[in-house]
Amino acid sequence: MPTAPTPCPLCGRPALRSPENRSHPFCSDRCRLIDLGNWLGESYRIPGPRAGDGAEVPPRPVDGEEEGS
Ligand SMILES: [Zn+2]
């Protein structure tokens, strides 16, 4: 059963599907890392402008919780 190589989602080159290619579905480890970097870069950007909202949350009052009575 012939296994046709799938195109690398990053560069479009055929990515071999073999035990040696641990970067599948990417053609190489380099493309995998680049894609990972892009993904992380975007995820860091999204919460960036909104980080200020979370910082306004007041801390919970922990004191007096058990010594109330
Ligand atoms: Zn590639």
Side-chain angles (χ1 to χ4, degrees):
M1 191 171 187
T3 53
T6 55
C8 173
L10 200 70
C11 67
R13 286 155 73 183
L16 295 178
R17 190 173 200 166
S18 66
E20 291 184 15
N21 184 13
R22 293 181 299 170
S23 307
H24 192 85
F26 301 96
C27 69
S28 64
D29 204 46
R30 186 161 159 266
C31 277
R32 186 175 65 85
L33 291 177
I34 290 174
D35 184 79
L36 183 68
N38 290 341
W39 200 85
L40 290 177
E42 287 188 20
S43 67
Y44 277 131
R45 267 193 195 177
I46 291 169
R50 294 202 163 215
D53 295 342
E56 302 251 344
V57 177
R60 285 187 185 178
V62 184
D63 295 339
E65 183 94 5
E66 292 186 8
E67 300 178 25
S69 52

